[in-house]
Each structure stands twice: as structure tokens, then as C-alpha cells.
């Protein structure tokens, strides 16, 4: 699936994004135009989630082996915002995977600064994040997208909402982040393994998008 090149505003490395979030926490701010107290609080909480994710990450052997064998010349564009809990839970794993493969470039992109890019990969019409876009670095061809949540965790989340419609947002988020903590980035790696295998082995572009 080919896309015309889209200019990316303020692309960041993972280290640059982490430094940005740390600075925002000190300044009691968040990314994006809406500087609400809720988003400021989430940004501070997400910094701790990212630090925990970095310490706990273990590369899935099958995923590491596949990527190291094929050495794909890929660019992973990942749309995020500092206040997004799902991004904080999955981005450290995505960054660690990219760091383990020399031919894989990771570019962090802020959603609200890049609406034209975001609008090329909506989830059922929604600007859900995080969203990972995998491109061939040489041709610019879009190979697959992933997001905004690991399949297994999204299925648990949707089942919980259906079975317990009385739960409010805060209660739902508590369950969600408990699952993330127990999962330790296994589900996002399994999703990416499925996508990478389909692209590298079967050469059939596929897409995993889950509705929040």
C-alpha cells in the first residue's frame, strides 16, 4: 500500500521523546494544545510507566530472531502523546525492539502536531494512539500498521466493558493498566511478530487495528 510522502513535523528519537516527557513533568505540562489537569497528571504517571517498561522489557526470542535474520530496512513511525496511557505502556517495548535491529529506524511523532499523517491511519474513524506505521525506508511503501492496543489486551478490555457496563472510566483504566503490568509487553511483541512474519515471510501486507 503506497502513500504519498507526508511532511512530518518535529520527528523525535525515543531518547528525545523521553527527555521531552521528563521536561514536561518538571514544568507540569503535557504534549498537545489541551493543557488540562487530567493530561498533566497522566503525563507524570506515564513517565513512571515508561521507566518501568524499560526496566522490565525482555525481547521475545521469536521476534528477535525473525528481525535479525531478515534485517528489514524499515522505518517505524509511532504516533503518540505524553498523556496517552496505552502509548506509555507499549512505546518502551517498541523502542527496545527497534534498538535491537540495526536496520530498523524508529521515529516518534506527536499526533496533534501531525494530523495529516494521523488521518492516514484512523481506527474506525478515530485518531486512536499509539499508532505504529511500518514503511520500507527505500521505497516509502507502507507495509503494515499496528495500534492502538495489543490484541489480547483489547479483547479483555472490550469483554470487561460488555460484562460490566456500570464501570466508569477510572475503573476501566485501572483494569487496563493492571493487565499491561502483568503482560510485560508480551502481547505487543506477539502482535508485531504476526505482522512481521506476514510481511517478511508470506509477503502479504496486513493490518491490526483495535477500537478503544
Amino acid at each position: 500500500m503506497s502513500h504519498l510522502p507526508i511532511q512530518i513535523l518535529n520527528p523525535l528519537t525515543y531518547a528525545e521523546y523521553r527527555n521531552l516527557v521528563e521536561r514536561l513533568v518538571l514544568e507540569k505540562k503535557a504534549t498537545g494544545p489541551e493543557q488540562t489537569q487530567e493530561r498533566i497528571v497522566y503525563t507524570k504517571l506515564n513517565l513512571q510507566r515508561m521507566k518501568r517498561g524499560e526496566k522490565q522489557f525482555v525481547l521475545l526470542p521469536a521476534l528477535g530472531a525473525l528481525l535479525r535474520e531478515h534485517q528489514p530496512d524499515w522505518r517505524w513511525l509511532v504516533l503518540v502523546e505524553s498523556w496517552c496511557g496505552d502509548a506509555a505502556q507499549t512505546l518502551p517495548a517498541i523502542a527496545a525492539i527497534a534498538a535491537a535491529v540495526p536496520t530498523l529506524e524508529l521515529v516518534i511523532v506527536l499526533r496533534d502536531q501531525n494530523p495529516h499523517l494521523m488521518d492516514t491511519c484512523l481506527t474506525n474513524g478515530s485518531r486512536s494512539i499509539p499508532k505504529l506505521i511500518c514503511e520500507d525506508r527505500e521505497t516509502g511503501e507502507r507495509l503494515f500498521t499496528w495500534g492502538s492496543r495489543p490484541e489480547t489486551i483489547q479483547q479483555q478490555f472490550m469483554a470487561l466493558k460488555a460484562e460490566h457496563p456500570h464501570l466508569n472510566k477510572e475503573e476501566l483504566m485501572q483494569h487496563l493498566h493492571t493487565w499491561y503490568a502483568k503482560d510485560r509487553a508480551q502481547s505487543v511483541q506477539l502482535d508485531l511478530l504476526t505482522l512481521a512474519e506476514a510481511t517478511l515471510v508470506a509477503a502479504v501486507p496486513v493490518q491490526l487495528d483495535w477500537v478503544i
Side-chain angles (χ1 to χ4, degrees):
M1 183 177 181
S2 298
H3 288 261
L4 294 174
I6 296 175
Q7 184 177 5
I8 297 173
L9 183 63
N10 296 330
L12 302 167
T13 64
Y14 181 67
E16 290 170 341
Y17 177 72
R18 277 280 276 102
N19 289 338
L20 170 63
V21 176
E22 289 187 347
R23 186 171 73 250
L24 290 171
V25 169
L26 291 175
E27 297 173 353
K28 297 183 179 180
K29 295 180 179 179
T31 56
E34 295 183 29
Q35 294 296 309
T36 64
Q37 185 61 31
E38 181 181 52
R39 290 190 172 186
I40 292 169
V41 170
Y42 284 157
T43 295
K44 183 177 181 179
L45 183 57
N46 286 339
L47 178 59
Q48 299 307 312
R49 288 169 174 158
M50 291 171 69
K51 288 179 178 179
R52 183 175 62 246
E54 292 164 359
K55 291 179 181 179
Q56 294 179 344
F57 179 78
V58 177
L59 181 62
L60 193 68
L63 178 59
L66 178 73
L67 294 175
R68 287 169 179 147
E69 176 187 356
H70 290 271
Q71 292 290 306
D73 190 18
W74 287 351
R75 177 182 294 109
W76 281 359
L77 300 171
V78 185
L79 290 140
V80 299
E81 292 288 346
S82 69
W83 44 262
C84 176
D86 288 288
Q89 295 283 14
T90 54
L91 186 56
I94 292 169
I97 296 165
V101 184
T103 58
L104 210 166
E105 178 189 9
L106 177 65
V107 180
I108 310 300
V109 183
L110 296 181
R111 181 195 71 174
D112 293 342
Q113 291 183 1
N114 294 274
H116 297 299
L117 177 63
M118 182 75 253
D119 288 346
T120 68
C121 54
L122 300 177
T123 302
N124 282 12
S126 171
R127 290 179 172 177
S128 299
I129 52 174
K131 178 70 75 168
L132 184 154
I133 303 168
C134 178
E135 297 179 340
D136 183 300
R137 283 204 294 180
E138 182 177 354
T139 66
E141 179 185 5
R142 183 171 297 185
L143 303 174
F144 63 78
T145 66
W146 173 89
S148 56
R149 189 173 286 160
E151 176 182 1
T152 300
I153 291 178
Q154 177 63 4
Q155 289 176 347
Q156 290 176 288
F157 185 77
M158 297 306 293
L160 180 68
K161 287 181 68 175
E163 294 169 9
H164 303 280
H166 62 282
L167 293 178
N168 60 33
K169 179 181 177 182
E170 183 178 349
E171 291 169 327
L172 288 169
M173 291 301 103
Q174 287 177 350
H175 283 280
L176 175 66
H177 290 291
T178 297
W179 294 329
Y180 271 123
K182 293 179 179 179
D183 184 75
R184 295 196 173 202
Q186 291 297 297
S187 292
V188 62
Q189 293 192 77
L190 288 171
D191 284 358
L192 291 173
L193 175 61
T194 297
L195 291 163
E197 283 180 332
T199 305
L200 294 170
V201 180
V204 178
V206 293
Q207 179 167 322
L208 285 178
D209 295 306
W210 303 99
V211 182
I212 294 177

